[in-house]
């Protein structure tokens, strides 16, 4: 089971930190990722991190602004989001699966419930 938290409403340029808590199985068993879905749009890949947490990939639109990390001792994953823009507004989902740094939602078996991020002035 995955539980996402940390969303909120902020102004452009602000920062937010999303968290995803893993239960039922150790987070070290999974590649994990963040996806997001804006109103009227398809779910979009944001970032992914490997099982041990040493490798990661980012969507071009968030490179240099977002950082994904993983703490397998605490069974958690985080997404530090800096310099937020209005186009980052979406429901953010954490996901877990067996694939190696997959960027397609079909690569992930387990999904959290989503947390809303709103960036607006």
């Amino acid at each position: 089971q995955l539980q996402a938290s940390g969303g909120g409403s902020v102004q452009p340029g602000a920062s937010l930190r999303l968290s995803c808590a893993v239960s039922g199985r150790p987070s070290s068993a999974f590649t994990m990722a963040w996806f997001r879905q804006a109103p009227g749009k398809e779910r979009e890949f944001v970032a992914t991190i490997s099982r041990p947490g040493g490798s990661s990939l980012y969507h071009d639109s968030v490179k240099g602004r977002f950082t994904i990390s993983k703490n397998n001792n605490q069974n958690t994953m985080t997404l530090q989001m800096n310099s937020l823009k209005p186009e980052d507004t979406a429901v953010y989902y954490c996901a877990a699966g067996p694939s190696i740094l997959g960027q397609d939602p079909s690569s992930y078996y387990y999904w959290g419930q989503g947390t809303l991020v709103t960036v607006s002035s």
Side-chain angles (χ1 to χ4, degrees):
Q1 185 176 1
L2 304 180
Q3 182 73 36
S5 61
S9 182
V10 298
Q11 293 187 338
S15 298
L16 276 176
R17 186 178 179 88
L18 304 184
S19 295
C20 180
V22 182
S23 60
R25 289 188 65 183
S27 60
S28 58
F30 303 110
T31 290
M32 297 188 69
W34 290 96
F35 288 79
R36 64 188 181 187
Q37 189 165 17
K41 295 187 177 181
E42 293 187 352
R43 194 163 296 190
E44 174 186 65
F45 166 75
V46 176
T48 181
I49 190 164
S50 62
R51 294 181 187 186
S55 299
S56 57
L57 289 175
Y58 296 89
H59 190 277
D60 285 347
S61 65
V62 306
K63 280 182 182 177
R65 300 188 298 123
F66 290 11
T67 302
I68 190 171
S69 61
K70 199 177 186 215
N71 187 327
N72 287 332
N73 290 327
Q74 296 182 352
N75 284 333
T76 58
M77 174 182 66
T78 60
L79 184 69
Q80 177 66 41
M81 305 187 295
N82 299 329
S83 302
L84 282 162
K85 304 175 181 180
E87 51 264 42
D88 295 318
T89 295
V91 176
Y92 283 71
Y93 298 90
C94 59
S99 68
I100 301 175
L101 300 179
Q103 299 180 45
D104 190 279
S106 63
S107 299
Y108 296 87
Y109 295 169
Y110 306 103
W111 292 84
Q113 83 289 2
T115 184
L116 177 62
V117 173
T118 303
V119 185
S120 174
S121 55

